[in-house]
């Protein structure tokens, strides 16, 4: 993190490390041809790097997100043995992600944020910041993540009693 509270350096280091890991996996697991095993290698060795503490450092700028997504695109090509194809189309990339039961990284970051918020609100983790989200008299019965997202973005003074 820079003095201007930018996580660009962290994202660039992570991008470099993920590229190195993907190259290492491609070189050393060339004999693995099963898609499920390649997917497992990707998830455990490369994507896990992106998810570690992502609720703190996750990129918000489009260029950084696309940069990190490019690593996953190259990994998908390797997993599916389609390294000569282009995944420049967003729809093509999404369909390949669905085929492998993976989320695009941008969606994965958002899901991790929502899961963390859910855990904080329901006191499933020892984080005492629930008072920031709601005052004790405004605590609703959370039925789903939609109400949590609504309450996250709407000040408690604007919520109808």
């Amino acid at each position: 993190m820079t003095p201007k509270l930018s996580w660009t350096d962290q994202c660039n280091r992570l991008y470099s490390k993920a590229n190195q890991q993907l190259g290492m996996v491609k070189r050393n697991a060339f004999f693995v041809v099963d898609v499920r095993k390649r997917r497992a290698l990707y998830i455990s060795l490369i994507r896990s790097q992106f998810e570690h503490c992502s609720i703190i450092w996750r990129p918000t700028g489009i260029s950084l997100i696309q940069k990190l997504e490019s690593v996953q695109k190259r990994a998908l090509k390797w997993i599916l043995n389609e390294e000569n194809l282009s995944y420049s189309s967003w729809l093509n990339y999404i369909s390949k992600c669905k085929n492998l039961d993976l989320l695009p990284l941008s969606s994965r970051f958002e899901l991790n944020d929502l899961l963390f918020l859910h855990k904080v609100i329901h006191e499933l983790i020892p984080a005492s910041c629930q008072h920031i989200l709601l005052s004790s008299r405004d605590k609703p019965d959370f039925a789903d993540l939609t109400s949590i997202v609504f309450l996250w973005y709407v000040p408690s003074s604007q919520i109808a009693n």
Side-chain angles (χ1 to χ4, degrees):
M1 185 166 72
T2 64
K4 293 183 178 181
L5 300 178
S6 170
W7 290 94
T8 304
D9 292 343
Q10 164 71 12
C11 291
N12 288 333
R13 281 193 298 277
L14 185 62
Y15 172 77
S16 176
K17 187 173 181 179
N19 272 327
Q20 291 172 3
Q21 289 280 52
L22 181 58
M24 185 269 306
V25 168
K26 284 179 168 183
R27 284 188 303 277
N28 295 315
F30 62 90
F31 56 89
V32 178
V33 293
D34 183 31
V35 171
R36 291 175 300 164
K37 291 178 182 175
R38 284 184 170 197
R39 179 184 177 275
L41 282 169
Y42 166 69
I43 289 172
S44 61
L45 297 175
I46 294 127
R47 194 181 76 184
S48 63
Q49 311 252 343
F50 292 128
E51 295 191 14
H52 179 69
C53 297
S54 67
I55 58 170
I56 296 170
W57 64 263
R58 89 176 192 106
T60 54
I62 293 171
S63 62
L64 284 176
I65 292 172
Q66 289 174 344
K67 191 173 188 177
L68 297 180
E69 291 275 6
S70 70
V71 176
Q72 179 158 300
K73 286 180 183 180
R74 283 196 307 283
L76 291 177
K77 290 178 184 181
W78 173 72
I79 292 168
L80 296 170
N81 201 22
E82 298 178 338
E83 295 191 55
N84 57 345
L85 296 179
S86 172
Y87 286 7
S88 59
S89 163
W90 180 255
L91 292 176
N92 189 20
Y93 170 57
I94 295 295
S95 70
K96 299 297 180 178
C97 286
K98 283 183 182 180
N99 288 345
L100 292 174
D101 197 26
L102 293 171
L103 283 173
L105 286 178
S106 56
S107 300
R108 188 72 188 177
F109 291 143
E110 290 172 6
L111 177 64
N112 287 343
D113 290 349
L114 287 173
L115 289 173
F116 178 73
L117 181 61
H118 173 79
K119 290 175 183 178
V120 167
I121 289 174
H122 289 286
E123 299 174 353
L124 300 173
I125 58 174
S128 60
C129 56
Q130 188 174 14
H131 64 281
I132 296 170
L133 298 174
L134 300 168
S135 67
S136 60
R137 63 176 175 74
D138 290 334
K139 284 187 185 177
D141 182 22
F142 295 105
D144 58 6
L145 284 176
T146 306
S147 62
I148 294 171
V149 172
F150 173 76
L151 291 171
W152 179 257
Y153 289 106
V154 177
S156 60
S157 61
Q158 294 181 3
I159 299 174
N161 291 332

